Amino acid sequence: MVKLQEEGLCKTVGVSNFVEHHLVQLIEDTGHVPAINQIEFSPFQYPESLLEYCKKQGILVMGYSPLGKEDC
């Protein structure tokens, strides 16, 4: 995806369901910071440390909540 971005074939690169250690590894391996991380987010699923890490790195967070989840 980074190569596609460098070639101008996409505007940004994002990830989904990455936790902090995944993001650290991705940034170390590629030298690129993803524009967005889509994660499960609700009053019952509030990953505060991940949110802080994303904020420090300039990564936007998009939250989702699955429909029909049994405990919601």
Side-chain angles (χ1 to χ4, degrees), residues 22-39:
H22 295 133
L23 292 166
V24 169
Q25 189 68 52
L26 177 69
I27 294 167
E28 286 177 0
D29 290 349
T30 66
H32 286 84
V33 177
I36 193 165
N37 185 16
Q38 183 185 44
I39 58 172

Side-chain angles (χ1 to χ4, degrees), residues 40-60:
E40 185 173 352
F41 190 86
S42 72
F44 307 107
Q45 182 82 9
Y46 189 81
E48 195 167 344
S49 63
L50 177 59
L51 295 173
E52 284 299 317
Y53 178 78
C54 288
K55 185 176 180 179
K56 287 179 188 174
Q57 295 295 324
I59 302 169
L60 297 175

